[in-house]
Amino acid sequence: MGEKGKEITGELAQKVRETLQAMFVHEWLEIYFFLTSSWRMTGISGRRVAEIFKKEGMEELRSLEKIARRILELGGDLPRDFSEIASIAGRHYPQ
């Protein structure tokens, strides 16, 4: 492959990794929401709703694992702490 081809491929690979990292963070935040919400459910339907949230969280975890494997296959890296997750998500949380 010529230099221009390598340049285009490199730019595309970087964009794919960035997109996958954004997807990873989105899935991670969904898992966090579903699981922490399932722990907080109370009331008449609390247990039923908690089970639904827990099931959804586990489904999202399977998606997260697939995305993580693909990021690593493409030579990318996974977020290492919550501040990095927040940064990729475009959120600013207190330290």
Side-chain angles (χ1 to χ4, degrees), residues 33-67:
F33 168 78
F34 281 127
L35 294 181
T36 58
S37 294
S38 77
W39 302 329
R40 292 187 182 105
M41 291 293 114
T42 60
I44 296 171
S45 298
R47 181 168 280 154
R48 183 169 166 243
V49 173
E51 288 302 317
I52 292 168
F53 278 5
K54 193 180 296 183
K55 180 182 173 197
E56 289 297 321
M58 292 298 105
E59 288 179 20
E60 295 300 328
L61 181 58
R62 285 188 285 281
S63 295
L64 183 75
E65 289 172 335
K66 290 176 186 176
I67 294 167

Side-chain angles (χ1 to χ4, degrees), residues 8-95:
I8 292 169
T9 303
E11 290 171 10
L12 180 59
Q14 179 61 29
K15 182 67 177 166
V16 169
R17 283 191 298 269
E18 289 171 3
T19 300
L20 287 170
Q21 277 195 325
M23 291 171 62
F24 178 90
V25 165
H26 179 76
E27 294 289 328
W28 190 95
L29 291 171
E30 284 185 3
I31 292 166
Y32 180 82
F33 168 78
F34 281 127
L35 294 181
T36 58
S37 294
S38 77
W39 302 329
R40 292 187 182 105
M41 291 293 114
T42 60
I44 296 171
S45 298
R47 181 168 280 154
R48 183 169 166 243
V49 173
E51 288 302 317
I52 292 168
F53 278 5
K54 193 180 296 183
K55 180 182 173 197
E56 289 297 321
M58 292 298 105
E59 288 179 20
E60 295 300 328
L61 181 58
R62 285 188 285 281
S63 295
L64 183 75
E65 289 172 335
K66 290 176 186 176
I67 294 167
R69 278 195 300 271
R70 190 64 181 138
I71 290 169
L72 296 172
E73 287 171 357
L74 293 172
D77 202 6
L78 304 175
R80 298 192 181 274
D81 58 36
F82 189 75
S83 64
E84 193 173 350
I85 288 171
S87 175
I88 293 169
R91 304 279 188 245
H92 302 287
Y93 297 99
Q95 296 286 332

